[in-house]
Amino acid sequence: MVTYIIQIVAFQLIFLLVYEALLKKETFFNYNRWYLLSTSVLSLLLPLIKIESFTKTIPSKYVIVLPEVVLGNVQKTTQITTEVTTIANQTSWLTLNNIIILGSCITFLIFAFKLSKLLTLWVKAKKVKSNGYQVLSLPNTTVAFSFFNYVFIGSQLTEQQKESILAHELIHVKQKHSIDLLWSEVLKIALWFNPLVYVYKGYLIQVHEYIADQNAIKTVNKKDYYQRLLQQIFDVKSLPFVNPFFKQSLIKKRIIMLQKSKSKPVYLIKYLLLIPMITAMLVYSSCSQDETSKANTEQTTLTEEELVQKYLEEYRSKYKDNIEKLFSENKTDYNNYLNTLDQYARLKAKFLFMAEVHKEKTGKDSNILKVLKIETYQDYLNNKKTQEAKDNWIGNPKRGTLRLLVEDLDNLTTEEEALKQSKLAQINKEEWYHALVISDGYRHIKIEVREPKGDYIHDSNNEIDVPFSVIEQVPLIEGCETLVNLKEQKECFSNKISEHVMKNFNTELANNLDLEKGVKRIFVSFKIDVNGDVVNVKARAPHKDLEEEAIRVINLLPKMTPGTDKGKQVNVPYSLPITFKVD
């Protein structure tokens, strides 16, 4: 929204500068009127128009707790992940949106009040119908103005004064100048903070008077008309949407314009400047604000397929004998929710290269290869629009950084501002997290709350432990290797662990240990080390035999593909609750 407002102001400024420099002094009053009206509308519409062809032309310990494994006939407890949230109505209301709305409401109330004053005059006035308009005589005043088909004239004016005024005001009536002024009021209500809308209104009033004067002197004596402008001072109601016969600040300018020679028709060519101006503004609006367009014009000389092939060949030549170097030298930026076409092509080429290396070593095709070959960048973007993809991105913070996805970085909604404050509060409470990344797609901002304590936690053997929530690639158990989506990999891992425990745990053991009846729980912790082995298995249970059984079952887990982060294989710690019932 901020970008849209900035573009409106910029376009209006350009239009008004051209008017001031080239058109204002010309006697093409009707052309000037339509220039002002059309450009005030265009300034609102042009920022919304995006022409694709223009765009193309311009180049705890940090341990993951697995879902509870339930043994036997026990009602499973629902696990609920909660996040500290800030209630929206507790968040400051002083946002940009609210300030603009408040200002618009106040401006509208002022307009409504002045309109009510006009209606009061209309009710009190003595009305005389004429050909297509009404003359309203206002008692005991020298007021003179018009509004739509109504001409208000004070009863204290002389007949000669009334004649000049009526000739003038009827031009306003016939040419519907009140519609122009009401449009100016709409602009003021919507963009009350923009000084240029007041400039537009001033120029329109000025042009209206020039048009009315120019036509009025055709029906009344020109000399008398001048004298009445100079000698008579009429009361003018302070109403923003009427055409007053007399406005002191305009008298001198009106007389000058009445005496000025008509502009030569050749000067009409100046209005053709609108064409290149509008074209330039369309180019600007099509290519600006849209970071998507900017980001995706990278490498636009190549198609998606050509980009992928280019990077795949690069990886083959550079990393064939050292795949670990591929990860250390080609790190993925996780701060933006969306990858550009170029970033997507690099990532796709990386996975295709890994699949090729896997086939060379094992002689088997990876299922990931089939998926990647048919997936396109458009498929990727469509998937990213789903709520599941959004939740997956938000729920998988990287390296101590929480995430928030919003619609527009420049204009957070009340709800988004509340979520932002909630996450900042979470960072202050939990030492692992040090920053918040807020993205609206291809853009992001990063709020550093504290200095990071380091990307990793080291165990006693100086081996690296990386929390499951921030790791780049989670460990993969047998049967989950072909999955690409991180969320699917996690779910698959949890399901496989649950199946393994239920299959191998001796459920009869608890009945022989003289335990009290009821639901019992065993808490098991373990790590998957840099070799993919299960190590450091520990358990806490109501009985030592149950602890030993839990440790035995976890130690039976098969060797896995180790987790990796920053191109290095790392330890990943887990915690597993096991629930059973003693009858």
Side-chain angles (χ1 to χ4, degrees):
M1 184 175 179
V2 172
T3 305
Y4 175 62
I5 291 172
I6 291 172
Q7 288 186 2
I8 289 174
V9 175
F11 292 171
Q12 287 184 349
L13 180 60
I14 294 169
F15 285 135
L16 289 173
L17 286 174
V18 170
Y19 179 79
E20 178 70 31
L22 300 176
L23 306 176
K24 181 181 174 183
K25 295 179 181 179
E26 303 297 341
T27 60
F28 306 124
F29 303 134
N30 281 309
Y31 284 103
N32 283 354
R33 176 195 177 191
W34 290 111
Y35 175 89
L36 292 169
L37 288 174
S38 61
T39 55
S40 67
V41 174
L42 284 171
S43 66
L44 304 180
L45 298 180
L46 288 175
L48 302 175
I49 300 172
K50 309 292 181 184
I51 299 178
E52 188 177 351
S53 58
F54 286 159
T55 307
K56 291 179 179 178
T57 303
I58 311 293
S60 107
K61 201 172 180 181
Y62 304 105
V63 177
I64 181 66
V65 179
L66 295 172
E68 186 176 39
V69 177
V70 180
L71 302 176
N73 206 13
V74 182
Q75 184 177 359
K76 188 171 180 179
T77 57
T78 304
Q79 294 193 349
I80 303 174
T81 303
T82 60
E83 182 184 76
V84 180
T85 57
T86 304
I87 299 174
N89 59 20
Q90 292 178 339
T91 306
S92 172
W93 63 270
L94 206 62
T95 62
L96 179 62
N97 265 356
N98 290 342
I99 291 173
I100 291 174
I101 292 170
L102 178 62
S104 295
C105 290
I106 293 172
T107 310
F108 175 78
L109 289 175
I110 294 171
F111 169 78
F113 172 73
K114 292 185 176 181
L115 183 61
S116 68
K117 289 174 67 177
L118 179 63
L119 291 174
T120 302
L121 287 176
W122 182 84
V123 170
K124 292 180 180 179
K126 181 181 178 181
K127 304 171 185 66
V128 177
K129 288 187 178 182
S130 188
N131 187 23
Y133 64 93
Q134 286 189 26
V135 177
L136 285 76
S137 180
L138 300 175
N140 305 318
T141 183
T142 55
V143 165
F145 63 88
S146 63
F147 181 66
F148 283 97
N149 294 334
Y150 302 99
V151 179
F152 294 79
I153 297 179
S155 61
Q156 294 180 354
L157 295 171
T158 67
E159 290 304 317
Q160 287 182 329
Q161 291 170 345
K162 289 180 181 179
E163 180 187 358
S164 297
I165 292 169
L166 193 58
H168 178 96
E169 295 302 323
L170 282 179
I171 305 303
H172 291 313
V173 171
K174 291 174 182 177
Q175 297 206 10
K176 310 295 183 185
H177 290 171
S178 295
I179 295 177
D180 302 3
L181 296 182
L182 283 180
W183 168 243
S184 297
E185 291 303 307
V186 171
L187 286 179
K188 280 173 59 179
I189 292 169
L191 301 170
W192 56 270
F193 49 86
N194 176 13
L196 297 181
V197 298
Y198 302 91
V199 177
Y200 260 105
K201 181 182 176 183
Y203 280 151
L204 271 173
I205 291 174
Q206 191 178 86
V207 168
H208 288 170
E209 296 309 309
Y210 295 161
I211 292 171
D213 289 339
Q214 188 181 56
N215 287 275
I217 59 174
K218 295 176 183 178
T219 59
V220 298
N221 185 277
K222 190 173 183 179
K223 185 178 178 180
D224 292 342
Y225 194 83
Y226 288 160
Q227 289 177 343
R228 286 163 192 158
L229 279 178
L230 289 171
Q231 295 173 1
Q232 302 296 331
I233 299 178
F234 303 106
D235 293 332
V236 180
K237 289 292 178 183
S238 180
L239 299 173
F241 39 79
V242 299
N243 292 107
F245 175 74
F246 176 81
K247 189 168 185 178
Q248 195 170 2
S249 61
L250 280 178
I251 290 294
K252 183 179 177 180
K253 293 177 182 177
R254 288 167 62 183
I255 292 175
I256 290 172
M257 276 298 181
L258 280 169
Q259 293 177 328
K260 189 173 182 180
S261 300
K262 286 188 177 182
S263 300
K264 295 179 181 179
V266 70
Y267 293 149
L268 286 170
I269 198 171
K270 294 179 181 180
Y271 294 96
L272 293 179
L273 280 172
L274 266 177
I275 297 173
M277 280 176 18
I278 292 172
T279 303
M281 290 174 182
L282 281 173
V283 171
Y284 175 78
S285 64
S286 295
C287 299
S288 67
Q289 195 260 332
D290 188 0
E291 294 293 329
T292 303
S293 299
K294 286 183 181 179
N296 285 309
T297 52
E298 299 171 355
Q299 305 290 344
T300 49
T301 54
L302 299 178
T303 65
E304 176 185 335
E305 188 176 342
E306 289 169 338
L307 271 176
V308 173
Q309 191 60 34
K310 170 190 170 183
Y311 292 125
L312 184 56
E313 290 173 1
E314 178 186 319
Y315 296 156
R316 285 168 179 164
S317 62
K318 289 177 67 175
Y319 306 114
K320 186 174 183 180
D321 299 321
N322 191 355
I323 194 169
E324 290 184 3
K325 198 175 179 182
L326 169 68
F327 292 94
S328 60
E329 293 183 357
N330 297 273
K331 296 175 182 176
T332 304
D333 181 7
Y334 293 101
N335 288 328
N336 289 333
Y337 177 63
L338 295 173
N339 288 324
T340 65
L341 175 59
D342 186 72
Q343 291 169 333
Y344 173 81
R346 287 177 181 272
L347 197 59
K348 185 173 181 178
K350 186 190 293 187
F351 279 110
L352 289 172
F353 177 64
M354 290 169 58
E356 288 180 359
V357 173
H358 175 76
K359 185 176 181 180
E360 286 180 8
K361 290 182 178 180
T362 64
K364 297 178 180 179
D365 276 328
S366 172
N367 287 340
I368 191 175
L369 188 62
K370 299 174 184 177
V371 174
L372 285 174
K373 281 186 175 180
I374 62 173
E375 186 188 62
T376 66
Y377 183 59
Q378 190 57 52
D379 293 332
Y380 161 79
L381 292 177
N382 291 338
N383 177 63
K384 284 296 216 175
K385 292 177 184 177
T386 65
Q387 191 59 46
E388 182 181 1
K390 293 175 183 178
D391 292 341
N392 187 42
W393 185 82
I394 294 169
N396 289 283
K398 297 292 180 183
R399 301 189 185 94
T401 303
L402 288 180
R403 292 166 162 178
L404 176 61
L405 186 61
V406 298
E407 288 295 325
D408 182 2
L409 271 179
D410 300 320
N411 184 32
L412 299 187
T413 65
T414 303
E415 183 180 357
E416 289 168 347
E417 183 64 32
L419 286 171
K420 170 186 168 184
Q421 297 303 325
S422 168
K423 288 182 179 290
L424 289 174
Q426 183 180 354
I427 294 169
N428 282 316
K429 289 180 180 179
E430 301 180 26
E431 291 186 359
W432 168 258
Y433 299 112
H434 63 86
L436 172 63
V437 168
I438 307 174
S439 176
D440 61 2
Y442 295 95
R443 302 184 302 164
H444 78 275
I445 57 172
K446 189 172 185 179
I447 303 173
E448 293 282 357
V449 176
R450 67 169 69 88
E451 287 293 323
K453 292 189 175 182
D455 288 326
Y456 304 115
I457 303 167
H458 293 262
D459 66 10
S460 57
N461 298 320
N462 204 34
E463 290 181 338
I464 299 169
D465 286 4
V466 180
F468 193 80
S469 62
V470 299
I471 197 169
E472 289 182 352
Q473 177 56 58
V474 299
L476 298 175
I477 195 170
E478 185 178 353
C480 301
E481 303 97 334
T482 59
L483 298 175
V484 179
N485 184 279
L486 188 61
K487 184 177 180 181
E488 292 177 352
Q489 290 175 349
K490 289 181 178 180
E491 290 176 352
C492 180
F493 184 92
S494 298
N495 291 336
K496 293 292 182 182
I497 296 293
S498 296
E499 291 172 9
H500 172 84
V501 172
M502 286 188 284
K503 179 180 177 181
N504 293 284
F505 197 94
N506 182 5
T507 55
E508 299 297 325
L509 179 64
N511 295 326
N512 302 322
L513 297 177
D514 296 326
L515 297 174
E516 292 182 5
K517 293 182 179 181
V519 176
K520 306 297 178 184
R521 285 184 174 84
I522 305 170
F523 297 93
V524 186
S525 64
F526 61 96
K527 291 181 183 178
I528 299 172
D529 69 7
V530 294
N531 299 313
D533 295 322
V534 176
V535 298
N536 292 356
V537 184
K538 298 176 183 177
R540 188 174 76 252
H543 196 281
K544 185 178 179 181
D545 288 355
L546 291 175
E547 292 178 354
E548 292 176 352
E549 177 63 11
I551 292 171
R552 180 190 72 82
V553 171
I554 297 301
N555 278 324
L556 290 175
L557 284 168
K559 188 179 183 70
M560 306 181 199
T561 303
T564 59
D565 197 273
K566 287 189 173 180
K568 298 180 180 179
Q569 294 178 337
V570 294
N571 298 333
V572 183
Y574 292 91
S575 176
L576 177 69
I578 302 173
T579 301
F580 60 95
K581 186 176 181 180
V582 178
D583 296 323

